[in-house]
């Protein structure tokens, strides 16, 4: 017949993938080293499309790497460094065993070290790539910078992380690129727009960490090793774009934020933003301009305001936030270095307080709770301060990251905020709107009721009809039944759809069912939230009424 | 003499003590120093003199006191010290013992035996380095030349005594007859004893190399006089046994033995009588007995006990560290510095010049200071967006972490907080299954917000996800579900089809298993489990006739020939042919005539069934013929001409299907073999084909050619019913696993389409005679009417569109609709159900 018999698993997808152990053997690395290499080089397992084929007929769960990835790792200079390090450790152990202290010192001096510069460049060929992938790096650096020097990782790493994170914050302040903040129960989320890329990071609250035991800090340290390198280069480049000197002369304990300008031409960058509008049509230009204006207004949200942070307020996040939007911030001198003015400065406009009452109040400044600052940033306007006075029950703090789509549940606070943003003055009218909504709902209910009764009647009739014997043979003048044409049409359409669904192929039917199920679930959840809110509001109203009654009764 | 002995002993002790320190030559010198100190401490009278051997020797001679002995003692000191350094006290003791054996006369000799060493030692001390070699050479008495060599090596100061020594040796070898030179004689004797000793312990020769310089060794030789009354020297005194003298005095005159030698008896008497006998020692040299003094005895005792010889010596002196960190003004030794210490080393010079050259050439560079920390620069200075590696084509970027929603806020709107039940449910869920990985909480103010305990966990899990999770690019299904719904022609355009239930035929008291419509469409026959057959008028729903039969009616079929009014029905093993007598009287009568026109054939054939004529009362009811089968009959079906009737008896035997010819009252079994449990059979409407449905297959036989034409596999578990399109090219079959399979006989043996419209088992299917409609009845209580258009154009596939779901039957005992039948001319459909009713949908 001609030709050799084709063997199984010798071509195609089976040869494109390799299991982890095989990859490890090929690279001649221990598992720990292999993992470290994967972390540094950003190699991750791939899920083959046809797993059984790739697994050579077995269905055992295995992780697969791309053969190309592994081949790519073969030429990595860091692998040689790993081997050198292994030898170094062996030699060091030997020297220790023989108590050759001179040898130990000599070995330590020649400890093999590796650099990750080339890997950063390789993983992120362009600067924008690096910015796009900065979220995890920032979160990790901010986390590590909050670690105590307890030996979970090297002190140098912690210091480096602290330095880099402060530099990053400094850049954000200088470029005024912060967009959103969110006080979650996990930590504080920040979102900035850096060179057109949204970068989100989370910072834990300032508390000592209760270090868990089931976390492998070596893995985290390896990640941090790479992230610090990446962040260092990114910071360098970012400072360059602002024409700032790097490294800045910042005192890393507090957010000093006094970077030295090489020469101030911010205007140039601004022009750059406005320039590329040749091809765009006028409409887009208008939109762009509007956006630009909005952004400018956001950037100068707190311009000209003078804040004073009380002792109990988280200083660093607030100082960072306020400075990002152009405010002046200070705090008590005894608290931390970097305070510029005192409490009794008469020009202070806002004092951020997080205690129920303040002893000594100045009449010419607002006393507000910290949430005001965060809510202002998220809503992009200066919100009325009345709701945020000390001791007042705060309005709910909403996540700025939620984008409400059609059919999603929108909390009423959000609606109120939106109306505020539109420049409307919310007040009594909103309540009226609510009432309207309720009325509408009532109408719907009525409709439903009518339908229900109709159907009931029909059913009864039918039953009577069908029970021929029980029916007394009397002829009654028939009523003219109003046929709801719309309804009929709808029903017809629904039936049509149902029948068409019956004719769907099995695969498509499955998909369709899934989609429909997901949609239904969404609706259900939204309804549930709405119902909960309604119940809560009702309970609140009842409480209020009770209180009113009580007070009136007393009077 | 006693003093000297003591002195010697003390020094021995001193050496013993200092032994451990004296391994290297330089060290031995130090110990010597200590010895000197101790000696000074002993408080004996000593004169500080030059360290010349010669001088000391002369001094010894000058002293009248037993000079020789003294000298020997002195020498002994050294030798002993040397030996003791290495071999301890015992060695020296043994030496003395040997000497004792040798020398009978002189008890002093036993010490003197080692004296020979001393001279050598003295020499050696001066050239300590090569001393060992010379020692061994010295040990060989004969090699004078070597002695000469030795002398040449020696310093000038020691040269003189050595020349003398040489002479003395020579004389000693020649038995020293001359003896005039006292000094020489003494030296020779000393030499002789020395050699003897050396011969005894040649191995020890090397040890004496480290002997210290003897500078003040003879300080203590205060007694100039030496006992040299006998000048024979150190020779075995046995030689004089036979002579009356024992030697010669200084003047060369014979010294005579004591007149009377002590014999054994004298000895014994002496032993018995003399109280000092135990401390009396015989000096063989002089032939006199010497009584040891108390001090000497004490010394012996001390030594025997292993104590220090000198009673006043403190063994535990505070240790003086000579090689301390303090710089002393005096050198420890007065040895002149080596020449090499003045001259720069050539080898070093060469090395240095090599290094200098290497530095000059740039081969050796100074060690770079270690770069500490990150070295940052503009990494993307020359970024090239096109330089993306090939690998990156397969790159799947990690998805970003999910952004937090309202519920994660520290102060969320109240509706996002969990109620008690939800909280409980959350806690009982597995951590992986939870929709939220935290419990939403509300805090009154920012001050009260605690640290999130799982923050590090979350970061860690993210890390794990990044490097351990297999990634796969998945196409996001972003389809509008409406697009998935197939575009079908609107049912309205496919009218007519039954849409509403218009009539219900009530009357049966048990489930209605089968229905059949008359070819005219005027009458409906239904068979039920209540053992009756009812005949209804279709339009009015009136029950025209009720015929009781002897069992539950399994199947009923109206003869399709409009010219004949005949209904076939089956119960148990019977098949009845019924003339209902409805409608046109003419037709009824012709039917009766047709049945009655049967003429008995001449030769009766053996038949598997019995053709019986009914009894009179049955005839009144309308029964015209009875076919008694061997087994219970399940299904009946007419050929379209109306003459042939097929009956099905599902069984394991080969007689499952029988075809009866009514006019000839003849039955035949078309199949010889059992091909599985037959479910139903059907005639082709036009051609002489016969369809047999077993559990999973439908076989099509050509009745004329008597062969199997086609075998359709239904892809279902158990076929329940089958219907054939009036054109004959399409077959539908329903199955108990709720499928309806449409076969296009022109296409393939596999179903053209499988419809899963019903939720439960299908019980019956039917085609309309004229309209492109088919219906299926199922246990879920619904009848689904589909538009099944078959085109004459062979290239166009049949169009199947469900047009209506008809509901009306109630489900009783898990059974819904049992049979379905179309009106022959109108687009109406009849259905019989387990709820004892028959319904008409129009």
């Amino acid at each position: 017949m001609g030709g050799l018999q084709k063997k199984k698993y010798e071509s195609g997808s089976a040869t494109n993938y390799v299991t982890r152990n095989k990859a490890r053997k090929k690279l001649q690395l221990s598992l720990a080293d292999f993992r470290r290499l994967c972390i540094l080089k950003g190699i991750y397992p791939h899920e083959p499309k046809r797993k059984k084929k790739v697994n050579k007929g077995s269905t055992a769960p295995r992780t697969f790497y791309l053969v190309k990835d592994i081949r790519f790792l073969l030429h990595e200079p860091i692998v040689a460094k790993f081997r050198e390090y292994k030898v170094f450790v062996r030699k060091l152990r030997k020297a220790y065993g023989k108590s050759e202290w001179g040898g130990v010192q000599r070995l330590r001096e020649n400890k093999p070290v590796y650099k990750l510069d080339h890997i950063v460049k390789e993983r992120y060929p362009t600067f924008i790539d690096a910015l796009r992938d900065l979220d995890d790096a920032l979160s990790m650096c901010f986390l590590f910078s909050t670690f105590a020097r307890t030996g979970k990782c090297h002190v140098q790493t912690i210091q480096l992380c602290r330095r880099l994170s402060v530099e990053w914050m400094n850049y954000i302040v200088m470029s005024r690129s912060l967009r959103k903040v969110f006080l979650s129960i996990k930590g504080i989320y920040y979102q900035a727009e850096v060179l057109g890329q949204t970068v989100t990071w989370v910072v834990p609250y300032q508390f000592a960490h209760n270090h868990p035991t089931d976390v492998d800090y070596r893995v985290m340290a390896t990640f941090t090793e790479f992230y610090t390198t990446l962040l260092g280069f990114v910071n360098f480049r970012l400072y360059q774009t602002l024409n700032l000197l790097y490294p800045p002369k910042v005192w890393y304990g507090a957010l000093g934020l006094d970077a030295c300008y090489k020469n101030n031409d911010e205007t140039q960058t601004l022009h750059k933003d406005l320039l590329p509008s040749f091809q765009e049509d006028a409409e887009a230009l208008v939109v762009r301009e509007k956006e630009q204006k909005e952004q400018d207004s956001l950037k100068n949200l707190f311009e000209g305001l003078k804040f004073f942070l009380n002792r109990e307020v988280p200083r660093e996040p607030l100082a960072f936030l306020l400075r990002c939007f152009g405010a002046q911030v200070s705090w008590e001198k005894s608290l931390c270095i970097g305070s510029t003015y005192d409490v009794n400065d008469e020009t202070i406009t806002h004092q951020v307080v997080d205690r129920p009452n303040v002893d000594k109040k100045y009449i010419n400044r607002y006393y507000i709770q910290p949430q005001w600052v965060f809510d202002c940033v998220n809503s992009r306007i200066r919100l009325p301060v009345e709701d945020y006075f000390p001791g007042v029950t705060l309005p709910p703090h909403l996540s700025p990251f939620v984008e409400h789509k059609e059919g999603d549940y929108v909390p009423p606070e959000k609606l109120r905020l939106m109306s505020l943003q539109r420049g409307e003055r919310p007040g009594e009218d909103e309540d009226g709107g609510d009432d309207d909504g309720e009325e509408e709902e009532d109408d719907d209910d009525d409709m439903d009721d009518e339908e229900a009764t109709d159907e009931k009647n029909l059913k009864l009739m039918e039953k009577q009809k069908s029970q021929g014997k029980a029916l007394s043979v009397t002829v009654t003048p028939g009523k003219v039944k109003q046929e709801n044409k719309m309804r009929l049409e709808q029903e017809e359409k629904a039936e049509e759809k149902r029948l068409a669904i019956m004719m769907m192929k099995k695969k498509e039917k499955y998909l369709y069912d899934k989609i429909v199920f997901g949609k239904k679930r969404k609706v259900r959840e939204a309804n549930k939230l709405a119902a909960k809110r309604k119940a809560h509001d009702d309970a609140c109203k009842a409480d209020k009424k009770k209180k009113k009654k009580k007070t009136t009764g007393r009077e | 003499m006693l003093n000297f002995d003591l002195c010697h002993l003390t020094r021995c002790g001193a050496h013993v003590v200092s032994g451990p320190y004296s391994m290297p030559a330089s060290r031995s010198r130090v110990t010597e120093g200590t010895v000197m100190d101790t000696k000074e401490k002993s408080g004996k009278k000593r004169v500080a003199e030059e360290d010349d051997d010669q001088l000391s020797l002369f001094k010894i001679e000058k002293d009248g006191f037993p000079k020789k002995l003294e000298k020997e003692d002195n020498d002994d000191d050294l030798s002993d010290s040397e030996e003791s350094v290495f071999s301890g006290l015992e060695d020296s003791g043994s030496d003395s013992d040997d000497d004792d054996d040798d020398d009978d006369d002189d008890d002093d000799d036993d010490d003197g035996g080692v004296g020979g060493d001393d001279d050598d030692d003295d020499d050696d001390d001066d050239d300590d380095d090569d001393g060992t070699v010379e020692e061994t050479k010295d040990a060989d008495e004969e090699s004078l030349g070597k002695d000469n060599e030795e002398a040449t090596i020696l310093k000038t100061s020691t040269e003189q005594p050595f020349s003398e020594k040489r002479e003395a040796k020579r004389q000693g070898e020649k038995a020293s007859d001359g003896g005039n030179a006292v000094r020489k004689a003494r030296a020779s004797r000393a030499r002789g004893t020395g050699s003897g000793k050396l011969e005894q312990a040649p191995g020890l020769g090397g040890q004496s190399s480290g002997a210290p310089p003897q500078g003040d060794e003879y300080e203590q030789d205060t007694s100039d006089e030496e006992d040299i009354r006998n000048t024979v020297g150190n020779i075995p005194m046995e030689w004089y046994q036979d002579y009356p003298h024992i030697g010669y005095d200084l003047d060369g005159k014979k010294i005579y033995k004591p007149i009377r030698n002590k014999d054994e008896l004298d000895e014994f008497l002496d032993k018995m009588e003399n109280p000092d006998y135990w401390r009396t020692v015989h000096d063989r040299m002089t032939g006199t007995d010497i009584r040891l003094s108390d001090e000497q005895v004490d010394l012996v005792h001390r030594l025997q006990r292993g104590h220090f010889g000198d009673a006043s010596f403190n063994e535990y002196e505070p240790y003086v560290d000579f090689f301390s960190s303090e710089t002393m003004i005096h050198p420890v030794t007065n040895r002149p510095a080596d020449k090499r210490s003045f001259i720069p080393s050539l080898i070093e010079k060469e090395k240095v010049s090599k290094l200098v050259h290497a530095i000059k050439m740039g081969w050796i560079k100074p060690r770079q200071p270690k770069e500490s920390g990150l070295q940052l620069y503009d990494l993307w200075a020359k970024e090239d967006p096109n330089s993306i590696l090939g690998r990156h084509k397969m790159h799947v970027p990690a998805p970003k972490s999910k952004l937090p929603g309202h519920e994660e806020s520290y102060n969320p709107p109240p509706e996002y907080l969990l109620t008690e039940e939800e909280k409980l449910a959350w806690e009982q869920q597995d951590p992986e299954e939870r929709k939220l990985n935290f419990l939403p909480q509300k805090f009154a103010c920012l001050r009260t917000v605690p640290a999130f305990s799982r923050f590090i966990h979350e970061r860690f899990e993210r890390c794990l996800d990044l490097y351990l999770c297999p990634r796969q690019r998945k196409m996001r299904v972003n389809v509008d579900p409406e697009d998935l719904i197939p575009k079908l022609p609107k049912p309205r355009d496919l009218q007519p089809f039954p849409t509403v239930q218009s009539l219900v035929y009530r009357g049966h008291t048990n489930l209605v298993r089968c229905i059949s419509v008359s070819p005219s469409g005027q009458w409906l026959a239904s068979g039920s489990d209540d053992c009756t057959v009812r005949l209804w008028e279709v339009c009015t729903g009136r029950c025209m006739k009720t015929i009781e039969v002897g069992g539950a009616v399994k199947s009923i079929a109206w003869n399709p020939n409009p010219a004949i009014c005949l209904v076939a029905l089956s119960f148990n093993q019977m098949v009845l042919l019924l003339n209902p007598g409805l409608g046109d009287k003419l037709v009824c009568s012709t039917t009766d005539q047709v049945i009655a026109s049967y003429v008995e054939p001449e030769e009766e054939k053996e038949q598997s069934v019995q053709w019986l004529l009914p009894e009179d009362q049955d005839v009144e009811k309308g029964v015209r013929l009875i076919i008694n089968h061997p087994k219970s009959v399940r299904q009946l079906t007419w050929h379209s001409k109306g003459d042939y009737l097929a009956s099905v008896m599902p069984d394991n035997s080969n007689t499952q299907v029988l075809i009866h010819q009514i006019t000839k009252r003849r039955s035949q079994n078309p199949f010889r073999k059992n091909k599985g449990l037959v479910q139903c059979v059907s005639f082709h409407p036009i051609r002489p084909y016969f369809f047999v449905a077993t559990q999973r297959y439908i076989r099509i036989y050509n009745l004329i050619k008597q062969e199997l034409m086609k075998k359709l596999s239904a892809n279902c578990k158990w076929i329940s019913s089958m219907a054939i399109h009036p054109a004959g090219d399409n077959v539908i079959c329903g199955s108990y696993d709720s499928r309806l399979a449409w076969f296009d006989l022109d296409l393939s043996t596999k179903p053209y389409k499988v419809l899963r419209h019903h939720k439960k088992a299908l019980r019956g299917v039917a085609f309309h005679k004229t309209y492109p409609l088919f219906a299926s009845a199922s246990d879920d209580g619904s009848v689904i009417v589909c538009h099944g258009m078959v085109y004459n154009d062979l290239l166009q596939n049949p169009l199947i569109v469900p047009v209506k779901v008809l509901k009306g039957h109630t489900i009783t005992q898990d059974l819904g609709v049992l049979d379905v039948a179309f009106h022959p001319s109108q687009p109406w459909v009849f259905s019989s159900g387990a709820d004892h009713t028959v319904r008409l949908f129009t």
Side-chain angles (χ1 to χ4, degrees), chain A residues 44 109 354 397 409 492 525, chain B residues 370 396 409 415 447 492:
Chain A
Y44 43 84
E109 272 166 16
D354 200 1
H397 180 60
Y409 172 74
E492 203 172 303
E525 270 164 19
Chain B
K370 286 251 167 147
V396 185
S409 166
E415 61 268 31
R447 193 183 60 223
R492 193 186 293 173

